[in-house]
Amino acid sequence: MANTSGLATFNLDLSELIEEAYERAGLELRSGYDMRTARRSLNLLTIEWANRGINLWTIEQGQITINTGQAIYALPNDTIDLLDHVIRTGTDQNQVDINISRISESTYSTIPTKNANGRPIQVWINRQSGQTNASSVTLNGTITATDTTITLSSTVGLSTTGFIKIDSEVIIYQNVSGNQLLNCFRGQAYTTAAAHTTGAAVSIQNLPNINVWPTGDGGGPYTFVYWRLRRMQDAGSGVNVQDIPFRFITCLVAGLAFMIAAKKPEVAPERVLFLKSEYEQQWLLASQEDRDKASDRYVPRQLFY
């Protein structure tokens, strides 16, 4: 019997990955700047992969408790999009998952009764950047952890509905009147509601979010259960491995080699074209393997008037 290693753990840390990519480009990794520019290219490459389609290893399940009267709920900051979603009622043996239809912004905007109560049947997914914008706005007056009306020094620059962050707490407000934020729901985006003192800094949160209709009622409890596509983690500092499965290592090296060669004037154009072709071939092989292998299932949707 062959004496094999008994291991299946091969991977490349960031330094080894960049070194291999430089060698494929016919170059040598010589300076700290070479490492830094390669790390930047690697982060851009993983963003490109997110635009190429669904990466199965970045699919995660999550859930949000639906509150009566609350229409907007934050999604995790690194969410790219939602793939599937249901409204769940009951628990344990009485759990039932019910379809909730995804609609566009234009369809949601034409709903005349956005604050109507009931079991949610439609959802608009608002794919915001997730970035935090600093502002000169501060809290005007102390608030407790349960206050739903918040007074600010100014509301200039704030949208009529949105998220703010005070200290470590994220808050959703649904109306603005003068310098007051009304109909606030506290402790959003997995933060904890807390008391805050006057003068606390207020930042604007551009969080990806869902808008459900109707907004929930006492017939629940309702839970919005979703499967999301998240961003791949950043390249890191050098000793860590990348946020990819082993079957994409060769593709990642090929893509990085092409991006490095494209930036180096000493690399012959013919070699750049070869590296691009090799990268596309490796992407094709990896992406064909990274797919859901279940049979397609088509369910007709019936509408009744």
Side-chain angles (χ1 to χ4, degrees):
M1 183 176 178
N3 183 22
T4 63
S5 68
L7 301 174
T9 59
F10 173 78
N11 207 332
L12 296 176
D13 64 30
L14 180 63
S15 299
E16 293 172 322
L17 192 152
I18 292 175
E19 185 177 11
E20 175 68 17
Y22 264 87
E23 290 175 353
R24 290 195 181 197
L27 301 168
E28 291 185 14
L29 182 63
R30 296 179 176 177
S31 67
Y33 178 76
D34 288 341
M35 175 71 75
R36 187 163 66 251
T37 187
R39 187 166 63 243
R40 182 169 63 244
S41 294
L42 187 58
N43 284 323
L44 292 172
L45 184 63
T46 57
I47 293 173
E48 178 199 321
W49 285 10
N51 290 329
R52 281 179 177 248
I54 297 172
N55 303 306
L56 293 186
W57 72 92
T58 62
I59 297 176
E60 294 181 346
Q61 183 179 353
Q63 59 185 44
I64 300 171
T65 300
I66 300 298
N67 300 317
T68 301
Q70 183 177 353
I72 305 175
Y73 300 84
L75 292 168
N77 213 27
D78 59 347
T79 299
I80 297 174
D81 200 1
L82 300 190
L83 304 178
D84 290 292
H85 31 70
V86 295
I87 288 293
R88 178 168 293 169
T89 62
T91 58
D92 299 328
Q93 298 300 318
N94 296 321
Q95 174 184 305
V96 177
D97 288 348
I98 306 171
N99 179 60
I100 178 171
S101 300
R102 180 170 181 168
I103 60 176
S104 66
E105 177 275 330
S106 59
T107 300
Y108 181 78
S109 68
T110 58
I111 296 175
T113 55
K114 292 182 176 60
N115 294 324
N117 294 337
R119 174 176 62 80
I121 60 173
Q122 293 181 321
V123 59
W124 166 45
I125 301 168
N126 189 353
R127 299 172 62 186
Q128 292 296 310
S129 65
Q131 294 179 340
T132 299
N133 295 337
S135 71
S136 59
V137 176
T138 58
L139 186 62
N140 185 5
T142 299
I143 60 173
T144 69
T146 58
D147 284 335
T148 58
T149 297
I150 298 175
T151 303
L152 303 179
S153 60
S154 172
T155 56
V156 174
L158 270 67
S159 62
T160 55
T161 299
F163 295 91
I164 61 170
K165 187 174 185 180
I166 305 177
D167 297 327
S168 60
E169 180 188 0
V170 176
I171 301 168
I172 171 71
Y173 63 93
Q174 300 193 120
N175 300 98
V176 176
S177 177
N179 286 346
Q180 289 188 322
L181 307 181
L182 308 177
N183 301 320
C184 297
F185 286 86
R186 308 291 300 276
Q188 300 294 294
Y190 308 102
T191 62
T192 302
H196 305 284
T197 59
T198 185
V202 176
S203 58
I204 301 171
Q205 299 281 103
N206 298 310
L207 300 177
N209 61 82
I210 59 170
N211 295 249
V212 298
W213 184 86
T215 63
D217 59 15
Y222 302 119
T223 303
F224 182 83
V225 181
Y226 60 85
W227 288 261
R228 74 184 183 106
L229 190 66
R230 64 163 175 84
R231 286 184 57 172
M232 278 176 268
Q233 296 174 17
D234 296 341
S237 59
V239 296
N240 52 284
V241 298
Q242 302 309 295
D243 181 25
I244 62 170
F246 76 93
R247 60 185 179 275
F248 269 81
I249 295 175
T250 302
C251 178
L252 191 67
V253 171
L256 183 57
F258 161 63
M259 296 187 76
I260 290 172
K263 295 194 292 186
K264 297 290 187 177
E266 62 267 34
V267 178
E270 296 80 7
R271 190 178 191 115
V272 175
L273 291 176
F274 166 74
L275 292 172
K276 177 177 174 57
S277 175
E278 176 66 13
Y279 167 46
E280 294 296 342
Q281 176 66 19
Q282 292 299 331
W283 169 262
L284 181 63
L285 292 173
S287 61
Q288 286 178 339
E289 172 60 25
D290 190 60
R291 59 185 173 85
D292 194 338
K293 297 181 180 179
S295 301
D296 290 335
R297 177 172 177 265
Y298 300 93
V299 180
R301 178 175 296 169
Q302 296 179 343
L303 299 178
F304 299 93
Y305 297 92

